[in-house]
Amino acid sequence: MTVKIITDSTSDITSNLAQELGITVVPLTVSFGHEHFLDRVEMTTDDFYRRLASENIFPTTTQPSPSLFVDAYQKLAQESDEILVIVVSGELSGTYQSALSAKSVVEGKCRIEVMDSLSVAMGLGLIVIVANKMAQSGASLDEVAAAIKRRIPRSHPVMSFDTLKYLAKGGRIGRAQRLAGPLLKVRPVLTMRNGEVSPLTRLRSQKASLDYLYNFVAGIASIEELAVEHATTPDDADRLVERLSSIYPRERVYRSTVSPVLGTYVGPNVLAVSVLEAEGK
Amino acid sequence: MKQIKSIGGQDLKEMFAAATNWLEKSAQDIDALNVFPVPDGDCGTNMLLTMRSSIEEASRAPDQNISQVARAMAKGTLMGARGNSGVILSQIWRGLAQSLNEKETIDGHELAQALLQASEMAYKGLSNPVEGTILTVMREAASAAQKQVARGNGNVISVLEATVDAANESVANTPNLLPVLREAGVVDAGGQGLFTLLEGALLYLRGDVELMQFRKSRVIASSIPVTARPLQLSAEEEEAFGYCTEFLLKGENLDLDKLRKKLQSKGQSLIVVGDESTVRVHIHTLDPGNVVHYITSLGTMHKVSIRNMDEQHEDFLTMQKGRMPAVDMAIVAVVAGDGLADVFTSLGASAIVPGGQTMNPSTKDILQAVEAVPSDKIIILPNNKNIVPTAQQVESLTDKSIEVVPTESVPQGAAALLAFDYEADFETNAKLMTEAKSGIKTIEITRATRSTKLNGLAIKKKQAIGLLDGNLLAVNDELDDVLSELLARIDLDKAEVITIYYGDDTDEAEAERVSTGIRQQHPNLQVEVVSGGQPHYNYIVSIE
């Protein structure tokens, strides 16, 4: 039986893509005051940024309740006897805990494994996509899990920010604290290291950050998967894809947007590329 | 919510025994906060030892009613008081004990009253009470307890909760009251210690014993945001701290006021507390012999401690260095002006050496900064042509690895700093930073100090003159005309960002006016105006 793959909404696997690939996405929740929305399900990225710009309320987020995972497990347990759950870094969210605690509730012989991706956004999304591909081609849960374990350190989400204000406010700034509070306008570039947000560099203009993202991808010898995503600036992201088409086929690039829950921490004008580096020969 | 109507002597003892253990877990964190009155870094430890002495004494109390226990604890703190904060703590206990006199048990109302009296007693012990310290925290906490009672919440837990909450806020606010804390970016250590004690007592009373086992109190964050704690090194010699002198004086009919007046002239941070038979004295003095001589004429001295505070301060610095986030590479930058120092610090420089045009720092100045930074690999940004050779001298004088990125202007330095790659190694970073500076054009604008002829330009005194990458190329009556003239010499099509750092004798409105002019002429450019506060140059302009 085919292994079923579950992830959470911070993977930035859009509903369309999830449906197309047969991946189950468990949503986190984003809240404006007392209004709560399931990430991507009840609120789109565009709606989120409209509200963020027009309201004074600072949004908050909540990990999925274990019951959402229980529902997903129970549904998939009828279709398969093996489920692999790959979720956002435990340093950033308690989603891993929710997924894990839901495991004990589900009875029956379906085997469920939960993995911490140590990543987020399409850095997580690309890992999930590869896991799904392997599952579709008939690999067992153990085989997929072992392959994913090798890929986790090879997944590089690189994000260029307008400001780290939101990340700092949301308490997820991690080691990028060193980049906070600059007295010059700079665009910080961050990545994930060992599950934590980590600084790469700072650039002075939007153009320079596009150059940086391009050069980052160009500097990787062999690419297994590539994704480009935006928050509020689709044109910039498209331009980046266009530019990258000289080194990676455009039709193979996963194009996504940051989810409202991620948007809470990254703010507007963010641009990200995620590269899953292929294993050396 | 758990409610407790009253507490007795046994409760008081247990609460503070638990609170003392709670304090013990944080004592080192509190030591590290210590900057007032002297940065000797032992405030947490002193308060802990003082409390231990108090708990010991409490177990010797003849009776377990609250009056006897409190009196024993007050005696214990007085006998065992260590350091400034310990002595103030003993004073707090003295006030508590007085208020609890002759009582079997107390309710919330009486607790609030006792806290108030403790606060008043704490102020009385000091010749010169300073706000933004443990005193303020005690006063504001006590006042919150009063208010809670006035609201009709008389149970002991709710009174103590209000006290702890207020203490928390009060601690966070200490940097607003005491500049030395603000500069160091920390809250007051004594205040933090008092908060931790009160919090520990509350947790115990509420029954959160398990929590107390597995966690520890947090250090309250300053309500003023601090991005980094830069080492600002000045050439001035530091003031000597002298000797921290502490002892117990026993005698008969001792006159505290007279004693206090007499000692006041002999040193600083004076505290005199006690009664007519036993007095605890704490003083920072340059001449402890003189103090001892005077005191022995009044009675007998006990538990004498005289410590060299310069040594203590050095130990503290060593401890601070150890506690600073270990960075494998650090950047030392030379800049003049508060604004520029802030900009460079905010961008990640670990130390700033004041200096620039007409005020070149010595090799020793830079070396000191290099040695003070907690890293073995240091990148130096001289930010001035004349300082580059000075900076290069440093390498032969230190065991640390040094790379000098030969930045010749502030804009080059900022660009180099920004190019720092958090994942690259030392040599690569030096290379990246050197590359980054080459893409920058620098314009510096100032007024001529005398009439002269240079580069074929006739310059009159006080005329505006402009340098492009160090070459004097423009002169005019107005500053902004010189700037426009120099901008016209640069191919601005390739530029993206212009940053204008205005100097300390140039006002912001004027700088904004200049920037508006540039924006109108070059709408594609991002123009930013930043207060540099640099002397000499009205404007330093970066074109990248």
Side-chain angles (χ1 to χ4, degrees):
Chain A
M1 257 186 282
T2 315
V3 182
K4 292 290 178 187
I5 307 293
I6 298 179
T7 185
D8 64 73
S9 59
T10 68
S11 65
D12 286 340
I13 293 181
T14 58
S15 318
N16 288 341
L17 185 61
Q19 210 158 16
E20 185 189 322
L21 301 177
I23 296 169
T24 302
V25 179
V26 174
L28 282 79
T29 297
V30 62
S31 309
F32 282 87
H34 293 294
E35 288 181 80
H36 310 289
F37 306 93
L38 288 176
D39 199 21
R40 282 192 192 282
V41 179
E42 294 171 347
M43 182 175 255
T44 66
T45 299
D46 287 349
D47 288 342
F48 170 79
Y49 279 108
R50 258 196 295 279
R51 281 197 76 154
L52 190 68
S54 64
E55 287 182 29
N56 280 328
I57 304 178
F58 190 74
T60 55
T61 65
T62 324
Q63 69 198 64
S65 79
S67 72
L68 285 177
F69 279 103
V70 171
D71 292 348
Y73 296 167
Q74 277 168 346
K75 182 166 167 284
L76 294 178
Q78 291 168 7
E79 304 167 23
S80 174
D81 52 10
E82 290 183 316
I83 298 174
L84 179 59
V85 191
I86 310 172
V87 296
V88 58
S89 166
E91 295 284 340
L92 302 182
S93 162
T95 302
Y96 178 78
Q97 284 308 324
S98 286
L100 213 56
S101 59
K103 225 174 96 167
S104 58
V105 183
V106 181
E107 287 167 7
K109 58 180 174 43
C110 183
R111 205 180 134 209
I112 303 168
E113 284 299 327
V114 182
M115 289 178 85
D116 181 342
S117 70
L118 301 181
S119 194
V120 69
M122 266 293 174
L124 162 60
L126 293 180
I127 292 173
V128 170
I129 286 168
V130 167
N132 196 58
K133 276 184 185 167
M134 292 187 65
Q136 298 289 337
S137 62
S140 70
L141 175 54
D142 287 332
E143 287 165 346
V144 180
I148 292 310
K149 210 165 265 170
R150 287 201 307 275
R151 277 175 178 77
I152 283 173
R154 302 176 162 276
S155 174
H156 312 293
V158 180
M159 210 173 249
S160 144
F161 285 71
D162 220 18
T163 167
L164 296 183
K165 186 174 81 185
Y166 296 91
L167 203 58
K169 247 186 191 161
R172 303 297 201 281
I173 197 159
R175 283 191 291 263
Q177 180 69 50
R178 294 152 82 178
L179 264 52
L183 296 176
L184 290 184
K185 285 196 195 87
V186 292
R187 293 185 57 89
V189 181
L190 309 183
T191 189
M192 294 288 293
R193 286 283 177 263
N194 303 320
E196 240 192 293
V197 176
S198 188
L200 282 175
T201 191
R202 294 160 295 187
L203 300 156
R204 285 287 267 149
S205 67
Q206 173 73 358
K207 190 183 160 294
S209 33
L210 278 170
D211 288 348
Y212 185 90
L213 295 180
Y214 172 83
N215 287 325
F216 181 85
V217 179
I220 288 181
S222 178
I223 297 168
E224 182 171 3
E225 300 287 353
L226 180 66
V228 172
E229 49 190 314
H230 70 268
T232 50
T233 53
D235 295 348
D236 281 341
D238 290 341
R239 222 169 293 141
L240 184 59
V241 174
E242 173 72 38
R243 236 179 114 182
L244 286 168
S245 64
S246 61
I247 44 178
Y248 194 80
R250 190 181 325 194
E251 61 279 6
R252 284 190 55 195
V253 177
Y254 290 96
R255 216 18 211 97
S256 185
T257 55
V258 298
S259 85
V261 163
L262 279 185
T264 303
Y265 301 103
V266 301
N269 296 330
V270 145
L271 212 56
V273 290
S274 295
V275 187
L276 189 58
E277 196 180 348
E279 279 184 318
K281 305 271 147 61
Chain B
M1 201 187 77
K2 194 172 169 183
Q3 295 223 345
I4 291 178
K5 284 238 160 58
S6 70
I7 51 172
Q10 186 67 23
D11 298 317
L12 186 73
K13 194 166 72 185
E14 284 174 7
M15 269 160 78
F16 280 95
T20 302
N21 290 336
W22 186 241
L23 177 66
E24 181 173 7
K25 291 183 173 190
S26 298
Q28 282 198 329
D29 298 343
I30 296 171
D31 285 350
L33 290 175
N34 210 171
V35 293
F36 183 85
V38 284
D40 49 5
D42 56 3
C43 183
T45 309
N46 283 342
M47 289 180 83
L48 175 64
L49 294 172
T50 306
M51 277 310 292
R52 278 204 186 136
S53 159
S54 163
I55 301 300
E56 235 167 73
E57 198 63 39
S59 61
R60 290 195 214 115
D63 192 359
Q64 289 305 314
N65 66 47
I66 201 160
S67 167
Q68 293 289 349
V69 171
R71 188 177 299 172
M73 289 179 77
K75 186 181 168 205
T77 49
L78 181 64
M79 304 299 285
R82 292 243 317 215
N84 222 318
S85 48
V87 177
I88 297 175
L89 196 57
S90 78
Q91 200 65 355
I92 288 173
W93 273 101
R94 188 159 173 225
L96 283 172
Q98 279 182 359
S99 181
L100 301 182
N101 196 24
E102 314 249 305
K103 292 192 160 97
E104 273 295 320
T105 63
I106 56 163
D107 60 13
H109 178 76
E110 287 162 308
L111 173 64
Q113 200 49 45
L115 289 168
L116 188 66
Q117 196 157 339
S119 153
E120 284 163 2
M121 189 59 80
Y123 275 84
K124 274 189 205 160
L126 285 127
S127 53
N128 176 26
V130 176
E131 293 296 337
T133 62
I134 183 171
L135 291 174
T136 314
V137 175
M138 186 63 226
R139 179 169 49 77
E140 294 184 341
S143 140
Q146 290 287 324
K147 281 189 196 132
Q148 186 72 355
V149 171
R151 266 188 231 113
N153 292 324
N155 99 70
V156 175
I157 289 192
S158 78
V159 169
L160 203 50
E161 272 174 350
T163 310
V164 170
D165 285 349
N168 185 345
E169 264 177 52
S170 182
V171 172
N173 191 45
T174 51
N176 285 318
L177 300 174
L178 202 54
V180 59
L181 300 175
R182 186 159 56 232
E183 278 158 27
V186 294
V187 297
D188 179 63
Q192 170 76 40
L194 180 63
F195 161 77
T196 307
L197 272 176
L198 291 168
E199 184 190 44
L202 171 65
L203 287 172
Y204 179 80
L205 206 59
R206 266 204 315 225
D208 293 331
V209 183
E210 202 174 341
L211 183 147
M212 294 181 82
Q213 230 171 339
F214 295 113
R215 301 186 51 180
K216 69 171 183 176
S217 187
R218 75 216 138 74
V219 169
I220 295 165
S222 159
S223 60
I224 305 170
V226 179
T227 47
R229 203 186 302 177
L231 287 157
Q232 181 102 34
L233 298 148
S234 68
E236 291 162 44
E237 286 303 314
E238 281 164 356
E239 197 183 320
F241 291 114
Y243 299 88
C244 175
T245 309
E246 295 177 87
F247 53 85
L248 215 52
L249 165 64
K250 288 189 182 172
E252 278 167 24
N253 301 325
L254 298 168
D255 182 344
L256 262 68
D257 284 335
K258 197 177 148 205
L259 190 58
R260 199 171 286 142
K261 263 201 204 110
K262 195 87 184 172
L263 287 174
Q264 220 151 49
S265 60
K266 298 185 192 293
Q268 289 171 337
S269 296
L270 173 68
I271 311 179
V272 176
V273 297
D275 51 32
E276 66 277 356
S277 62
T278 312
V279 182
R280 163 67 72 173
V281 176
H282 168 278
I283 186 169
H284 294 168
T285 176
L286 292 171
D287 186 359
N290 188 317
V291 173
V292 172
H293 186 73
Y294 168 63
I295 290 300
T296 44
S297 72
L298 302 176
T300 54
M301 273 179 102
H302 305 264
K303 300 201 176 180
V304 184
S305 152
I306 299 173
R307 286 170 298 155
N308 182 328
M309 285 190 295
D310 297 307
E311 273 173 21
Q312 276 180 285
H313 181 61
E314 268 166 37
D315 290 347
F316 177 72
L317 283 184
T318 316
M319 177 173 78
Q320 280 291 314
K321 231 155 112 176
R323 291 181 61 92
M324 272 196 224
V327 276
D328 52 338
M329 286 173 260
I331 297 163
V332 171
V334 182
V335 289
D338 290 347
L340 287 176
D342 287 347
V343 168
F344 273 69
T345 306
S346 83
L347 298 178
S350 298
I352 302 290
V353 180
Q357 191 67 27
T358 72
M359 39 182 294
N360 296 352
S362 68
T363 306
K364 186 177 155 234
D365 294 337
I366 303 176
L367 179 66
Q368 270 182 351
V370 162
E371 295 294 356
V373 166
S375 167
D376 291 333
K377 296 174 186 165
I378 315 278
I379 295 172
I380 306 176
L381 301 175
N383 300 335
N384 186 295
K385 204 174 182 170
N386 300 330
I387 302 173
V388 173
T390 317
Q392 280 161 344
Q393 297 286 319
V394 172
E395 187 172 6
S396 61
L397 301 172
T398 175
D399 293 336
K400 297 186 175 189
S401 307
I402 303 289
E403 289 273 4
V404 177
V405 175
T407 50
E408 295 184 354
S409 68
V410 164
Q412 285 188 3
L417 197 49
L418 282 169
F420 186 83
D421 183 326
Y422 290 84
E423 303 206 323
D425 62 24
F426 185 52
E427 287 76 20
T428 313
N429 259 318
K431 202 172 130 258
L432 285 172
M433 291 168 82
T434 306
E435 278 165 18
K437 80 173 178 66
S438 65
I440 302 294
K441 293 250 172 244
T442 302
I443 293 176
E444 289 153 321
I445 295 178
T446 182
R447 294 225 174 243
T449 49
R450 60 192 165 89
S451 302
T452 184
K453 254 191 169 175
L454 253 176
N455 294 358
L457 297 169
I459 300 162
K460 287 200 221 76
K461 191 177 171 182
K462 290 200 175 152
Q463 265 193 318
I465 51 173
L467 294 87
L468 175 59
D469 289 330
N471 300 313
L472 181 67
L473 292 177
V475 54
N476 208 315
D477 288 338
E478 297 303 325
L479 295 165
D480 44 346
D481 289 337
V482 171
L483 179 56
S484 312
E485 211 175 303
L486 290 181
L487 284 173
R489 288 173 173 258
I490 302 170
D491 180 6
L492 287 175
D493 290 343
K494 285 189 195 134
E496 292 169 13
V497 186
I498 291 191
T499 315
I500 302 171
Y501 303 93
Y502 60 93
D504 67 347
D505 50 8
T506 307
D507 52 279
E508 189 179 355
E510 179 64 21
E512 286 293 349
R513 199 179 58 73
V514 168
S515 79
T516 309
I518 300 174
R519 275 192 203 102
Q520 278 164 355
Q521 280 181 4
H522 309 281
N524 290 329
L525 290 175
Q526 174 187 325
V527 184
E528 200 177 334
V529 177
V530 179
S531 163
Q534 70 273 11
H536 197 54
Y537 293 115
N538 300 76
Y539 298 114
I540 298 176
V541 183
S542 151
I543 300 102
E544 48 194 297

